[in-house]
Amino acid sequence: MAQTWEYSTVPLMIHATKQILDMWGSDGWELVQIVTGPDGNGLVAYLKRPTGDGA
């Protein structure tokens, strides 16, 4: 059975990026990508972690 994942998107504040990512990482989330926010300002992090339902 294939691994299954859950995903989250997180807005990043430029002055606290490391702290935000460290907090999510300590909860088991892995950073997939950081992109510019939908309004063209700021950054958004895409994260994933295993659901525990897969192999």
Side-chain angles (χ1 to χ4, degrees):
M1 188 170 240
Q3 174 67 57
T4 58
W5 302 91
E6 63 178 322
Y7 298 91
S8 185
T9 55
V10 179
L12 296 175
M13 295 177 285
I14 215 61
H15 65 277
T17 300
K18 181 183 181 329
Q19 294 87 347
I20 293 167
L21 293 174
D22 283 348
M23 181 185 70
W24 283 82
S26 68
D27 286 336
W29 292 92
E30 178 181 350
L31 178 64
V32 175
Q33 184 175 17
I34 296 177
V35 298
T36 304
D39 61 358
N41 296 315
L43 299 172
V44 176
Y46 287 80
L47 306 152
K48 71 176 184 178
R49 71 177 172 186
T51 61
D53 296 338

